[in-house]
Amino acid sequence: MKLSARTALIAAAAATVVVGSITAVGAGATQQQQPQSIAVTPAAATAAASSGGLRVAYFDQWSIYQNAYYLKNVDAIANNLDYLIYDFENIDPTNLTCFEATKASDPDPGGENDPNAGDGAGDAFADYQKSFGADISVDGTADAWGMPIVGNFHQLQELKKRHPNLKVVLSLGGWSYSKYFSDAAATDSSRKKFVSSCIDMFIKGNLPSEGGYGGAGSAAGIFDGFDIDWEYPGSTAGHLGNHTSAGDTQNFTALLAEFRSQLDGLGKHYSLSAALPGGQDKIAKIQTDKIGQYMDFADAMTYDMHGAWDATGPTNFQDPLYPSPSDPSGTIPPGTEKYNTDSIIKAYTKGSSAYGIPGGFPANKLTLGIPFYYRGWTGVPAGSNHGLYQSASGPSAGKTLSGNVPGVAMYKELSGIVDNPADTFFDPTTQSAWFYDGTNFYGGSSPQSIKARTDYIHCNGLAGAMMFSLYDLDPASTLFNSVVNGLAASTPGCAGPPTSTTTTTTTTTTTTTTTTPPGGGGCTAAAWNASTPYNGGAVVSYNGHQWTAKWWTQGDVPGANSQNVWTDNGPCSGGGTTTTNPPGGGTCPAAWSASTPYNGGAVVSYNGHKWTAKWWTQGDVPGANSQNVWTDNGAC
């Protein structure tokens, strides 16, 4: 199966504007409706790689054209970023060095079929020759005649003045510009030449004098390091025409070592990172046990696992966090695994004998990639589960700001779908979101799926999150704020992936396991059933209480769903309605309090039941926390 990269196809911004490089990042490339209501207000800056709070985001060079997304837009969110990665710069096919040019790469879909599409391409105009007016400038002042540089590079200078703690890193390669990495990394002398040229141009700032701008030292001090986005060492899964070699595996490690050595020779610490492929077939071509020592962090491209390159489907998640037995896709040769984030992360950190991956990459240096764009199909029947795993008539229609590329869209281009609870779905097995309006199906991020990933980051000791890319954000930065808030939030308990829909209820004398917990006591409403779909207003009984559905739902356990699909009408015997802090009942112990911290083993009452804490917790509502912090010991 082809795991194509996302291709940013802004083929022409306007007839009078020279368009720069057209490039992209790529990865290696039971369910129910759950309306999204998670708050996405910005959180305070709290970053540290060791705490799982590292926040990394890409800013696309071409954002300033058709999409009109400027570094001025980034200024509003920069306090919640640690690293801003500016992508991408290319490799000169003749000299195998870093270079600057103003030449558009051949736009896709023709470019996908052109092995030479990226040769000599670049966008020096966007980098340092495009003048910015006061209205789109970071500091609100227009570029003036006689400045040494303008363009995005000068805007980065302004951004860094306003946010001195922000690190700005230059990314080399990407989907369209990885063709010559193999050649540049092939020998000790070619590596030294390549790395030296990149440092000279982008760290020392010796830009070519072009269009009245540039010159010696003109861009010094802008970039705090490099990001290597080689897609992919030793693999033919990259762009058509990419050069590969059996030596790429060792040479990738040697290239990182050369970057580390030359950067360290500059007398201060410069950052080095890499975008690492998703998919065990490509991870197997990397020395996961050796590369970590040279990098400050690395970004796993845990997205682009499914998309409309499979034009007629089946529809699938772009970035499943966990595997699902319902997933109809094939396995990754030569092993038995399917694409999912958990398997990718574990391959890097723990290895995989099935794919010959040694593991050993430090978890606290690895970020999890979160996509801010969507992959879609059209002509999708509802089937048994709102379009998921169904056939399609073809890729979803291309959208203007996404370059009219079939099968790709931004959050802000899907208004009425991704922000409509009726079209928003979440799979508890894969912990992933999809969106379906009756015809069009899109896989991608939602606030709920992002929270599942930030919890995963905390629970697996990862460095933080990488976001690709800011180009796709809506004016409210909805998805970005979800990532920032999720990384800043605590994850009191860390549960493994969901394994079944079975729930366990523990009483003081017996433990019973039932697939569908019964309603209890003298309830007159029918018992809740996990397999039954309920419309808004439906009334059921569960655990001795009566519950009313707020909207359509299936499989959401009353009282244990983070979206609060069900309203608790109180114990069946006494009626009543739910309050913010419902009291315990009968001979129950002290009532649970949201403000009280509890250690593991603590016993409280809530909603007429006795609950025991599994680990330290505060503010987690018994029976309504996705991590199942509290064990329900039954009615008091």
Side-chain angles (χ1 to χ4, degrees):
M1 179 180 73
K2 178 181 179 184
L3 288 189
S4 143
R6 179 192 182 198
T7 308
L9 301 173
I10 310 305
T16 57
V17 176
V18 179
V19 177
S21 60
I22 313 302
T23 58
V25 160
T30 111
Q31 301 76 19
Q32 75 271 6
Q33 180 184 33
Q34 294 192 349
Q36 309 299 289
S37 59
I38 296 175
V40 291
T41 52
T46 55
S50 61
S51 68
L54 194 68
R55 300 154 304 183
V56 181
Y58 280 81
F59 178 86
D60 302 331
Q61 178 189 60
W62 59 93
S63 296
I64 61 175
Y65 293 128
Q66 198 162 336
N67 190 32
Y69 188 86
Y70 307 106
L71 286 157
K72 178 181 179 68
N73 300 94
V74 179
D75 179 48
I77 60 175
N79 279 339
N80 284 321
L81 269 177
D82 300 296
Y83 286 88
L84 182 68
I85 301 181
Y86 182 85
D87 58 301
F88 295 101
E89 300 296 342
N90 201 356
I91 301 172
D92 187 328
T94 302
N95 299 316
L96 300 179
T97 58
C98 277
F99 77 114
E100 280 279 10
T102 300
K103 173 188 179 296
S105 60
D106 197 10
D108 293 304
E112 284 296 302
N113 301 312
D114 180 359
N116 305 310
D119 285 11
D123 197 347
F125 178 76
D127 285 348
Y128 64 100
Q129 298 168 26
K130 171 181 166 56
S131 292
F132 280 67
D135 60 325
I136 57 174
S137 172
V138 170
D139 67 1
T141 61
D143 292 339
W145 182 87
M147 293 173 60
I149 61 171
V150 287
N152 284 334
F153 284 5
H154 177 57
Q155 295 300 305
L156 288 170
Q157 290 175 323
E158 293 184 356
L159 189 69
K160 291 185 70 174
K161 286 180 182 178
R162 293 170 62 86
H163 305 279
N165 293 324
L166 177 67
K167 300 296 184 184
V168 177
V169 174
L170 185 77
S171 186
L172 306 172
W175 179 252
S176 298
Y177 291 169
S178 288
K179 180 176 179 179
Y180 295 102
F181 263 123
S182 180
D183 306 277
T187 67
D188 181 68
S189 61
S190 67
R191 291 190 291 270
K192 283 182 166 59
K193 178 183 177 181
F194 174 60
V195 174
S196 176
S197 73
C198 298
I199 289 176
D200 182 71
M201 184 167 290
F202 298 115
I203 301 297
K204 297 179 180 179
N206 297 322
L207 296 172
S209 295
E210 296 179 2
Y213 299 99
S218 59
I222 296 175
F223 295 106
D224 299 295
F226 289 102
D227 176 67
I228 311 304
D229 191 358
W230 180 349
E231 301 183 23
Y232 308 98
S235 172
T236 59
H239 195 289
L240 181 66
N242 281 6
H243 294 182
T244 59
S245 164
D248 285 351
T249 297
Q250 292 74 27
N251 293 339
F252 177 53
T253 303
L255 180 64
L256 293 172
E258 186 62 36
F259 265 102
R260 182 75 278 156
S261 176
Q262 290 199 34
L263 287 171
D264 287 349
L266 297 175
K268 60 172 283 188
H269 182 78
Y270 285 90
S271 173
L272 182 63
S273 58
L276 299 179
Q280 293 83 318
D281 50 337
K282 289 171 283 298
I283 300 172
K285 305 290 186 179
I286 292 175
Q287 294 178 314
T288 56
D289 56 338
K290 296 180 179 180
I291 59 176
Q293 62 186 307
Y294 304 115
M295 292 187 286
D296 293 73
F297 62 92
D299 302 312
M301 293 186 283
T302 46
Y303 40 74
D304 287 340
M305 300 182 205
H306 301 286
W309 48 86
D310 295 325
T312 58
T315 59
N316 212 322
F317 300 104
Q318 185 192 169
D319 60 335
L321 184 57
Y322 295 111
S324 170
S326 302
D327 182 358
S329 63
T331 57
I332 310 170
T336 59
E337 296 180 5
K338 296 185 179 184
Y339 290 105
N340 67 87
T341 294
D342 183 57
S343 294
I344 292 168
I345 297 299
K346 295 300 195 300
Y348 279 112
T349 59
K350 300 181 182 301
S352 170
S353 58
Y355 294 89
I357 300 171
F361 192 91
N364 66 357
K365 283 190 174 185
L366 188 63
T367 71
L368 186 152
I370 297 176
F372 283 176
Y373 60 96
Y374 298 82
R375 291 198 172 275
W377 291 262
T378 193
V380 179
S384 61
N385 200 19
H386 309 285
L388 181 61
Y389 301 144
Q390 297 298 307
S391 62
S393 62
S396 57
K399 304 292 184 180
T400 301
L401 297 180
S402 297
N404 294 309
V405 185
V408 178
M410 301 179 186
Y411 182 97
K412 61 188 173 186
E413 293 178 307
L414 297 178
S415 178
I417 299 178
V418 296
D419 54 1
N420 182 359
D423 294 337
T424 302
F425 302 89
F426 184 80
D427 174 22
T429 302
T430 63
Q431 295 284 288
S432 302
W434 82 98
F435 308 86
Y436 179 67
D437 64 2
T439 300
N440 299 293
F441 176 105
Y442 289 94
S445 297
S446 72
Q448 186 174 9
S449 73
I450 287 173
K451 183 60 167 65
R453 281 147 185 77
T454 55
D455 285 348
Y456 182 95
I457 288 166
H458 292 151
C459 293
N460 288 277
L462 302 185
M466 175 270 280
M467 297 163 266
F468 194 85
S469 73
L470 300 182
Y471 176 92
D472 301 287
L473 288 180
D474 64 308
S477 300
T478 301
L479 299 180
F480 175 86
N481 289 332
S482 293
V483 174
V484 170
N485 289 339
L487 291 177
S490 63
T491 304
C494 295
T499 55
S500 71
T501 58
T502 299
T503 61
T504 300
T505 301
T506 305
T507 68
T508 54
T509 56
T510 61
T511 299
T512 59
T513 300
T514 57
T515 301
T516 305
C523 295
T524 56
W528 172 83
N529 188 297
S531 62
T532 301
Y534 297 97
N535 292 319
V539 179
V540 300
S541 60
Y542 179 81
N543 264 352
H545 281 234
Q546 189 164 286
W547 307 77
T548 301
K550 298 177 183 177
W551 47 71
W552 187 97
T553 174
Q554 183 177 353
D556 294 306
V557 180
N561 175 260
S562 61
Q563 298 296 330
N564 294 320
V565 173
W566 293 95
T567 296
D568 184 357
N569 301 314
C572 296
S573 57
T577 58
T578 253
T579 62
T580 302
N581 186 17
T587 58
C588 289
W592 171 83
S593 170
S595 62
T596 301
Y598 298 97
N599 292 318
V603 180
V604 300
S605 62
Y606 181 81
N607 264 351
H609 280 234
K610 182 189 292 184
W611 305 81
T612 302
K614 297 177 183 176
W615 45 73
W616 187 95
T617 176
Q618 183 176 354
D620 295 305
V621 180
N625 177 260
S626 61
Q627 298 295 335
N628 293 321
V629 174
W630 294 95
T631 296
D632 185 357
N633 300 311
C636 298

